[in-house]
Amino acid sequence: MIRTGFLMIVVSVLLAGCGVGSGSYVAQVPTDGPIEQGQLVANTSADQFIRVIARPPRAGMTPTEIVQGFLESSASFDNDHAVARSYLTPEASAAWDPSSGVSVYDGVPALVEAGAAVLFSATLNGRISDIGRYTVEDPGAELQRSFFLTQREGEWRLRLAPSGLLLSNFDVNRAYRNYSVYFFNPSFQILVPDARLIPVIGPALGTTLIQRLIEGPNDWLRPAVRTGFPGGVTLAVDAVPIENGIARVNLNASVALANDAARVALSQQIVWTLRQIPKVQFVDIAVNGAPLSVPGTSSPQSRDSWPDVDPGGLARGSVGYAATGSGVVRLTANGNFAVAGGFGVDDAGLSKLAVSADSRRVIAATTTGDLYWGDLRIGAVPQPLLAGTEAQSIAFDGRTNAWIVNEIGVAQTLLSNGESFDTEIDGLETGAFVQSVVPSRDGTRAALIVSTETGSVLLIARVDRPSPANATQIRLEKPIRVESKLSVVTGLAWSSANTIALIGSETAGTLQIYEINLGRGDIQAQGSPTDPVSIAAAPGLATLVTSADGSIYENSTGTWIGRISGTASTYPG
């Protein structure tokens, strides 16, 4: 095994963003006095990591052992990978740039000596760019690299190492944490996460996040989002200190060019980005040390400021909906209640159901393939829609526009006035068949289920809206794979701004429910009721799964429990 003998692993529990120990660490534990309730401290994976203490080279190591030691110690970020550099010649150390990106491999790599070289090969899972964006590789991708060695004073050292880092999945999971920097959808109504992997050891987290935010979105996401930061804005002081729960962001004079609306937007981006750090309770934004005037808020701003731009995109008080044999009902904590209007008494047998973000409009497909839509208000009557269309999937896009994929795999956008048009999807491989298109609630991305010769896959495409006012110009561009383990995907729903719940399988076997973190490509199995047919999900609410047995199940406690008899379920979207 590669790991034997080259490093010791010490489990360290650290608070995010903490610095050098202070006198409080040696204070005496009181033995008397009143019992007082303290603040709850969450124990999350973001607060702890497995620290790598790497060992430098030993005398007499073989070329393969030198490469093994270099790979192991590359996972230690201390002092700019100082131990890893000790396996390199001084010239190679000066040339090696570990910050140029990370190749992430699976399992234990094969190392083969070839003269004064060692050849590396492993299964490539993905890559981390220099800005921390993770991208997934296709299944079966191979990572091959060559290490060249020389002898110095009788000991082997690397004279040439591949640029960047080669890290295993295990190394990445212990050395990085997943955070987001936030930008806006084109209408500046909802924040959009741009997920980044940040090394646990390195510059202070607050500083790194704000630097990444100021630099702007990743290249893939950039055309779909907006920012409130004017050009030329930087940190006036290259640090975001956090003192007594207050994060202090000191920007240069360029931020003074921002008008009131832009100042509000950039404040919202900064606060939502920094509130991911548990110790941040307030955010103070300044211009060269003077408070930045931001309409509608005081300084410092609370971490709970700006709830209206919540990236979850779900209106406060939203609930689930289910199609039953006697009509569509709202699933509330106090019971299930028929919706207003004709959908509340409909018994046509609905197989698919979607509700708009404001919970005022419904689109539904019957078991016979007919489509209807209408308002959820007293006296409203469902209207037939797109005659002759049999929908494979239906969804709303965070507005009142409905997205439909018809029986021949064509995606269509339906406006609130009834006008429809085809939505082009650029970048799909030849022969791919689109089964489902579900936009994110912020409207900047869309999740697709696409059938290929090797199975069905989940892709994420960027929503291109050249003109926010002209929906007929919407296109889906640059679909990318976000996981590489599932071979079958049959249904999906956005469970948060950066996670997707889906029905799938890692083989051709039994379907179950998974949740995928789009920032890292991780999948977590959630179990499943028997024979899942469709799925509904929303931030902070129980996942709903409709089963072939005619029941809708929910999972809010880790166990699937029958909620109601029905044929379809949904959340506003």
Side-chain angles (χ1 to χ4, degrees):
M1 294 290 290
I2 285 179
R3 305 190 184 279
T4 303
F6 293 108
L7 62 91
M8 296 183 298
I9 299 175
V10 179
V11 178
S12 303
V13 178
L14 302 179
L15 290 178
C18 70
V20 178
S22 66
S24 63
Y25 288 97
V26 295
Q28 296 295 316
V29 177
T31 58
D32 56 15
I35 297 175
E36 297 182 0
Q37 181 174 341
Q39 183 177 3
L40 177 64
V41 179
N43 180 19
T44 68
S45 60
D47 299 326
Q48 54 186 316
F49 68 95
I50 302 175
R51 188 185 189 99
V52 178
I53 300 181
R55 289 181 172 177
R58 304 188 315 272
M61 295 178 78
T62 66
T64 296
E65 289 173 334
I66 288 291
V67 173
Q68 289 173 336
F70 174 76
L71 291 171
E72 294 288 0
S73 55
S74 294
S76 170
F77 285 68
D78 293 279
N79 300 317
D80 191 23
H81 303 273
V83 177
R85 291 182 184 277
S86 68
Y87 287 85
L88 304 168
T89 64
E91 299 82 3
S93 177
W96 182 53
D97 180 13
S99 67
S100 62
V102 181
S103 297
V104 184
Y105 62 88
D106 192 27
V108 177
L111 299 176
V112 178
E113 287 190 27
V118 174
L119 308 181
F120 169 107
S121 62
T123 299
L124 178 62
N125 280 171
R127 302 181 191 274
I128 304 172
S129 72
D130 58 348
I131 64 170
R133 183 192 174 208
Y134 184 80
T135 54
V136 173
E137 292 293 323
D138 290 333
E142 288 293 320
L143 176 63
Q144 297 182 336
R145 294 290 186 270
S146 298
F147 294 83
F148 298 94
L149 297 93
T150 187
Q151 283 193 316
R152 292 288 176 91
E153 298 179 357
E155 298 293 341
W156 289 104
R157 292 294 182 267
L158 291 166
R159 65 176 179 83
L160 182 62
S163 182
L165 294 173
L166 304 180
L167 298 180
S168 68
N169 272 313
F170 178 77
D171 291 331
V172 171
N173 289 338
R174 64 184 174 175
Y176 287 82
R177 290 294 174 265
N178 192 355
Y179 294 94
S180 291
V181 289
Y182 287 98
F183 302 95
F184 272 100
N185 66 346
S187 63
F188 279 88
Q189 292 178 322
I190 303 174
L191 288 168
V192 181
D194 182 353
R196 307 292 178 90
L197 289 175
I198 308 295
V200 173
I201 295 176
L205 179 57
T207 304
T208 300
L209 289 175
I210 296 304
Q211 287 173 334
R212 294 283 186 262
L213 177 63
I214 292 172
E215 290 166 3
N218 71 69
D219 290 342
W220 181 86
L221 185 62
R222 188 182 301 274
V225 297
R226 306 292 182 266
T227 183
F229 285 83
V233 173
T234 63
L235 285 170
V237 179
D238 199 20
V240 177
I242 302 171
E243 303 167 341
N244 299 319
I246 302 176
R248 302 190 183 278
V249 181
N250 191 10
L251 304 172
N252 69 357
S254 294
V255 77
L257 300 175
N259 59 24
D260 285 351
R263 293 186 183 198
V264 168
L266 69 86
S267 293
Q268 292 167 331
Q269 291 175 253
I270 289 173
V271 170
W272 272 91
T273 296
L274 288 176
R275 65 178 280 166
Q276 297 170 97
I277 304 174
K279 65 188 297 185
V280 172
Q281 299 300 314
F282 295 91
V283 178
D284 179 65
I285 305 174
V287 184
N288 287 328
L292 176 68
S293 175
V294 180
T297 188
S298 58
S299 183
Q301 302 175 38
S302 167
R303 64 178 287 125
D304 297 321
S305 302
W306 315 115
D308 292 342
V309 294
D310 188 330
L314 194 68
R316 207 169 301 174
S318 294
V319 298
Y321 293 80
T324 72
S326 56
V328 177
V329 301
R330 300 172 69 247
L331 304 175
T332 77
N334 298 319
N336 309 319
F337 303 94
V339 299
F343 279 107
V345 294
D346 180 76
D347 60 356
L350 303 182
S351 60
K352 297 178 179 64
L353 184 67
V355 174
S356 61
D358 59 8
S359 297
R360 294 180 179 178
R361 174 152 280 211
V362 171
I363 180 171
T366 68
T367 54
T368 58
D370 297 320
L371 280 172
Y372 290 88
W373 75 339
D375 294 333
L376 294 181
R377 57 180 174 81
I378 297 174
V381 177
Q383 300 295 319
L385 178 66
L386 299 179
T389 296
E390 293 186 16
Q392 294 188 93
S393 75
I394 56 176
F396 281 92
D397 68 351
R399 309 182 182 191
T400 56
N401 298 334
W403 290 40
I404 299 166
V405 177
N406 65 21
E407 71 279 6
I408 60 172
V410 174
Q412 298 174 297
T413 302
L414 178 69
L415 306 185
S416 57
N417 62 7
E419 180 185 0
S420 66
F421 55 91
D422 292 350
T423 301
E424 187 174 346
I425 304 175
D426 294 333
L428 293 178
E429 65 180 69
T430 302
F433 182 81
V434 179
Q435 294 178 294
S436 180
V437 176
V438 181
S440 59
R441 290 181 174 87
D442 53 55
T444 63
R445 298 152 295 157
L448 289 70
I449 300 176
V450 177
S451 295
T452 66
E453 291 182 354
T454 58
S456 52
V457 298
L458 170 68
L459 303 175
I460 301 294
R462 184 181 70 216
V463 179
D464 182 33
R465 301 175 188 266
S467 171
N470 187 355
T472 62
Q473 297 180 359
I474 294 175
R475 298 163 63 95
L476 300 183
E477 297 186 333
K478 293 194 173 181
I480 57 174
R481 190 156 188 161
V482 291
E483 62 77 35
S484 58
K485 294 184 178 179
L486 300 178
S487 61
V488 176
V489 181
T490 63
L492 66 88
W494 289 83
S495 50
S496 78
N498 220 28
T499 58
I500 287 179
L502 58 80
I503 303 171
S505 173
E506 295 185 50
T507 63
T510 303
L511 295 173
Q512 65 172 314
I513 310 305
Y514 294 88
E515 185 161 88
I516 298 181
N517 182 317
L518 300 182
R520 176 66 176 88
D522 290 334
I523 66 172
Q524 292 185 343
Q526 308 287 322
S528 177
T530 304
D531 297 329
V533 174
S534 62
I535 189 168
L541 298 174
T543 300
L544 302 172
V545 171
T546 303
S547 171
D549 66 9
S551 296
I552 295 173
Y553 296 83
E554 68 177 13
N555 185 352
S556 57
T557 60
T559 302
W560 292 98
I561 300 173
R563 173 64 193 263
I564 191 173
S565 295
T567 54
S569 61
T570 192
Y571 282 106

